Amino acid sequence: MTRPLTDNMEIFAGLIVLIACCCSLLISNGNEIGGCSQTNNFFQYTNYRTSYHFQPSRNWINDPNGPMYYKGFYHLFYQYNPLGAVFGDIMIWGHSASYDLINWFHLNHALCPSEPYDINSCWSGSTTILPGSKPFILYTGIDANGRQVQNLAMPKNLSDPLLKEWVKFSGNPVMTPPNGVKKDDFRDPTTAWQGSDGEWRVIVGSRSNNQGIAILYRSKDFMHWTKFQNPLYSSERTGMWECPDFYPVSINGTKGVDTSVLNPSVKHVMKASFNSHDYYMLGTYNPQMEKFFPLTDFEGTSSDLRYDYGKFYASKTFFDNVKNRRILWGWVNESDSRQDDIEKGWSGVQSIPRQIWLDINGKQLLQWPVEEIETLRGKQASIDDKKLESGSVFEVSGITASQVDVEVVFELPELEEADEFINPGLVDPQLLCNDKNALIPSRLGPFGLLALATEELTEQTAIFFQIFRGHNRFVVLMCSDQSRSSLRKDVDKTTYGAFVDIDPRQEKISLRSLIDHSMIESFGGGGRTCITSRVYPQLATDKAARLYVFNNGTLGVVISSLNAWSINEARIGEEESFKV
Ligand SMILES: *[C@@H]1O[C@H](CO)[C@@H](O)[C@H](O)[C@H]1NC(C)=O
Ligand SMILES: *[C@@H]1O[C@H](CO)[C@@H](O)[C@H](O)[C@H]1NC(C)=O
Ligand SMILES: *[C@@H]1O[C@H](CO)[C@@H](O)[C@H](O)[C@H]1NC(C)=O
Ligand SMILES: *[C@@H]1O[C@H](CO)[C@@H](O)[C@H](O)[C@H]1NC(C)=O
């Protein structure tokens, strides 16, 4: 849960609650009070709405909450402000369901402020499915005193696969800020896991001064929770940990494992959200000591591992036991202004759900869009074995470039001729990408895609690689350059960048991008490095948008293969539209 900008709860918040707390009055996202501004500049902004990424019909969303699979449906809950397109003083849990993770229908809100322990908001949390297929929500309530406390909720009717109604536990709150923890530094409980002793464990994000903390709680019955003496982990240099996530990954393959699995064939992932980014560590969980031992602690430098090197925050995973995979959801923020959001009437998108697993080398996680996205593929364009000379720009035609899934694989016949990487110590790849010099041609790169471009290239978002010869290995830099993404001046055009841990002598360099009007989600090196960006072209919208492959390096590269598919609109709407 992202903290609101101010801590002072509005005097009138209580009044708003009276309206907002009654979930049943706020039918579903489409029909609420408050929504505002369908009129102002609406037409101008419709181009920016995504066509296959999850969004409610209007208003502000942020963190994904409690994703899970239950009796035939995937469920996604999310932080939602029913009263407007900005972060709200009163936040609730929106709720949508899906057969396939791609097409969604909106349901009644799952959790709204109603009790002293959550009267000022229902903030982020997770679901845990207890034995006997019983899902429980653990969430953060902002109580009547502005304290962050943890609460439980259960489905009213376990036979309803849509879990439309949730009942709050009469014993709430089940956790209150412990001694030494500030009342507003205690939030975002994870999915719980069960030890071999049968007890449940869960962590809650916190801080002590600048130290980020994962406070551990244990319970025999899931209702009465006791704080363990030591945190599961704490990290010196991070500040407040938001939305922690803690789960096992198989050391051997792409299959996911359930959150309670602990055996020699898994490693553990500890993720925390801070500094507007989602960082993770790989390591080992020792249940006797109740401690997580990472391979390396967060350093506070660009060498810390991140899920995504662009816009991607407050993410959460869940284990999908239907397809034995772990799936990651993340909140993708806007890059335009608060005023723009109010005018367009919405803010925030969810990433495409991504399968996530441990690289066979054990050093990092890999991510890939769930296979279900391929059901939306339409018209295809393909290119094979095409040489891209220095300075060339080549259009990928025959597809809808504003709504496309493209994967290109590059071959580097002159790899050994790459420039030397001048690296006096630690280098921040984002700075390398940001540096204007990075656009000055090197021998190998920049080469890659120009997305959401105009025909004259006056607008373009370049997602590209540059390859250097380092000390006994090659260095692969991946950048997403938003500096020319829009003629508009009032949007954040920060350039993002990261290294891709890949040996180009062993493997070709691949790039997959999911382009969706104002969203570009890119997966480099088969999902080793992900960069998501938000762009707001003024001209390169809808039919005017183009897609190109380019090479600005002085050496040629070869498109070994390129496949691009127009992506059909996903059905994301009210429940009625799904009935046949
Ligand atoms: C519970 O849900 C099932 C399936 O939707 C439904 O048939 C049943 O009537 C519900 N029970 C109650 C008490 O609402
Ligand atoms: C990994 O998987 C392969 C193939 O399934 C198997 O042969 C090997 O024993 C597994 N290794 C471990 C450590 O589980
Ligand atoms: C979301 O975007 C706004 C506008 O670009 C920015 O001010 C804010 O810091 C962002 N928040 C996060 C968590 O990325
Ligand atoms: C490629 O080079 C041309 C000519 O110098 C330049 O105009 C263009 O901006 C470059 N493209 C990228 C993506 O750097």
Side-chain angles (χ1 to χ4, degrees):
M1 180 71 216
T2 312
R3 286 181 48 141
L5 298 176
T6 56
D7 276 342
N8 60 315
M9 290 297 158
E10 304 264 341
I11 296 168
F12 294 114
L15 278 179
I16 299 172
V17 172
L18 286 179
I19 307 165
C21 71
C22 311
C23 292
S24 53
L25 287 184
L26 303 169
I27 308 302
S28 55
N29 302 329
N31 306 315
E32 294 129 2
I33 39 168
C36 70
S37 75
Q38 283 97 322
T39 46
N40 295 351
N41 289 320
F42 187 69
F43 179 73
Q44 180 191 336
Y45 287 114
T46 52
N47 291 326
Y48 297 149
R49 269 190 80 83
T50 58
S51 61
Y52 59 95
H53 284 81
F54 179 87
Q55 290 191 280
S57 310
R58 65 184 59 139
N59 295 333
W60 166 280
I61 61 164
N62 50 308
D63 312 2
N65 291 154
M68 66 171 166
Y69 179 83
Y70 185 73
K71 296 193 173 167
F73 291 93
Y74 292 99
H75 289 260
L76 177 66
F77 307 88
Y78 45 91
Q79 287 292 291
Y80 185 60
N81 176 9
L83 301 177
V86 296
F87 185 87
D89 288 327
I90 299 296
M91 296 293 294
I92 67 164
W93 277 45
H95 182 194
S96 302
S98 169
Y99 297 104
D100 58 6
L101 290 165
I102 298 298
N103 300 288
W104 293 88
F105 49 93
H106 303 310
L107 299 166
N108 287 355
H109 304 316
L111 297 173
C112 296
S114 65
E115 306 297 328
Y117 53 76
D118 67 5
I119 196 70
N120 281 309
S121 271
C122 298
W123 276 10
S124 287
S126 306
T127 48
T128 303
I129 300 184
L130 271 64
S133 288
K134 296 195 184 100
F136 277 67
I137 287 175
L138 258 177
Y139 70 99
T140 300
I142 309 299
D143 78 4
N145 300 316
R147 277 192 318 174
Q148 298 176 356
V149 300
Q150 315 315 323
N151 302 316
L152 261 182
M154 308 90 166
K156 188 168 185 183
N157 179 1
L158 283 169
S159 310
D160 170 17
L162 294 177
L163 300 173
K164 281 184 182 168
E165 285 184 87
W166 290 80
V167 183
K168 293 171 188 173
F169 174 47
S170 58
N172 282 340
V174 295
M175 300 169 207
T176 54
N179 281 342
V181 168
K182 285 203 205 141
K183 67 173 186 174
D184 53 357
D185 282 344
F186 185 60
R187 57 183 178 271
D188 308 337
T190 61
T191 296
W193 68 97
Q194 196 174 25
S196 55
D197 56 5
E199 279 196 40
W200 291 95
R201 278 99 171 141
V202 76
I203 56 174
V204 179
S206 186
R207 86 165 126 195
S208 164
N209 298 319
N210 197 41
Q211 193 174 45
I213 303 179
I215 303 180
L216 178 69
Y217 281 81
R218 306 205 299 186
S219 172
K220 287 193 165 65
D221 60 3
F222 218 83
M223 308 203 180
H224 302 88
W225 293 86
T226 313
K227 187 175 88 74
F228 190 69
Q229 62 223 35
N230 302 315
L232 187 68
Y233 194 76
S234 61
S235 187
E236 289 294 337
R237 302 177 194 84
T238 60
M240 177 71 196
W241 273 24
E242 296 194 291
C243 303
D245 199 6
F246 185 64
Y247 56 91
V249 281
S250 166
I251 55 171
N252 199 18
T254 61
K255 287 206 167 101
V257 291
D258 210 343
T259 310
S260 298
V261 170
L262 184 59
N263 61 42
S265 68
V266 301
K267 290 274 170 223
H268 269 76
V269 178
M270 175 74 86
K271 185 278 285 188
S273 302
F274 50 86
N275 294 342
S276 300
H277 301 307
D278 278 13
Y279 296 91
Y280 70 90
M281 297 175 282
L282 296 168
T284 314
Y285 168 47
N286 179 321
Q288 282 77 41
M289 298 169 75
E290 293 291 14
K291 265 201 164 325
F292 171 68
F293 293 94
L295 295 174
T296 48
D297 188 13
F298 292 132
E299 306 276 344
T301 67
S302 62
S303 65
D304 290 338
L305 291 166
R306 282 167 54 181
Y307 280 162
D308 192 295
Y309 294 83
K311 288 220 154 197
F312 190 92
Y313 194 67
S315 64
K316 198 173 288 298
T317 64
F318 75 102
F319 174 64
D320 171 12
N321 64 340
V322 180
K323 294 199 172 179
N324 285 318
R325 55 188 174 172
R326 185 164 285 273
I327 291 171
L328 170 70
W329 283 98
W331 166 44
V332 182
N333 191 9
E334 302 298 308
S335 295
D336 58 1
S337 70
R338 185 183 158 91
Q339 193 52 38
D340 289 327
D341 295 347
I342 291 169
E343 282 176 19
K344 57 190 206 245
W346 58 270
S347 173
V349 182
Q350 298 294 329
S351 67
I352 286 292
R354 305 172 179 179
Q355 190 172 346
I356 186 164
W357 68 94
L358 184 66
D359 191 348
I360 198 71
N361 73 15
K363 292 198 294 190
Q364 66 165 104
L365 297 169
L366 269 66
Q367 298 165 57
W368 202 243
V370 292
E371 61 189 9
E372 286 86 343
I373 184 76
E374 293 162 26
T375 60
L376 294 179
R377 283 175 174 172
K379 263 200 284 178
Q380 182 178 4
S382 297
I383 301 167
D384 283 308
D385 260 330
K386 181 176 170 59
K387 177 122 197 232
L388 275 183
E389 303 289 353
S390 169
S392 54
V393 182
F394 183 80
E395 182 171 1
V396 182
S397 50
I399 42 95
T400 310
S402 56
Q403 220 171 290
V404 71
D405 175 0
V406 54
E407 186 172 7
V408 55
V409 181
F410 293 102
E411 222 175 294
L412 311 170
E414 294 171 277
L415 178 63
E416 301 298 331
E417 308 299 313
D419 284 321
E420 218 170 295
F421 188 60
I422 318 287
N423 176 9
L426 205 59
V427 175
D428 182 342
Q430 177 161 351
L431 295 180
L432 283 178
C433 291
N434 222 340
D435 191 344
K436 294 244 183 306
N437 292 326
L439 290 187
I440 294 173
S442 64
R443 286 191 199 147
L444 269 179
F447 60 87
L449 297 170
L450 300 179
L452 296 172
T454 50
E455 213 167 344
E456 301 75 26
L457 301 180
T458 42
E459 288 185 324
Q460 56 170 74
T461 300
I463 307 111
F464 62 83
F465 299 104
Q466 280 193 289
I467 316 252
F468 303 95
R469 217 155 23 84
H471 184 60
N472 67 40
R473 56 164 306 170
F474 284 87
V475 176
V476 179
L477 178 68
M478 173 174 164
C479 306
S480 181
D481 174 4
Q482 280 69 243
S483 64
R484 289 171 283 185
S485 61
S486 176
L487 293 176
R488 289 176 56 185
K489 302 236 178 319
D490 53 347
V491 293
D492 175 13
K493 297 180 185 175
T494 305
T495 286
Y496 308 122
F499 294 117
V500 190
D501 187 13
I502 192 174
D503 181 353
R505 282 169 303 196
Q506 310 284 332
E507 217 177 311
K508 294 174 187 169
I509 306 286
S510 72
L511 172 65
R512 180 173 178 192
S513 291
L514 300 178
I515 299 162
D516 192 1
H517 298 270
S518 63
M519 176 106 166
I520 304 175
E521 250 182 297
S522 296
F523 302 81
R528 287 183 179 84
T529 300
C530 308
I531 303 182
T532 298
S533 65
R534 295 302 306 279
V535 300
Y536 307 86
Q538 206 163 47
L539 305 174
T541 60
D542 298 332
K543 290 204 167 65
R546 301 272 186 277
L547 175 67
Y548 298 91
V549 207
F550 79 103
N551 175 24
N552 263 9
T554 59
L555 297 174
V557 300
V558 174
I559 299 174
S560 173
S561 67
L562 180 149
N563 287 291
W565 293 266
S566 297
I567 291 291
N568 296 316
E569 196 168 329
R571 286 192 302 166
I572 300 174
E574 305 313 312
E575 195 179 351
E576 292 69 42
S577 62
F578 278 73
K579 301 226 167 90
V580 260

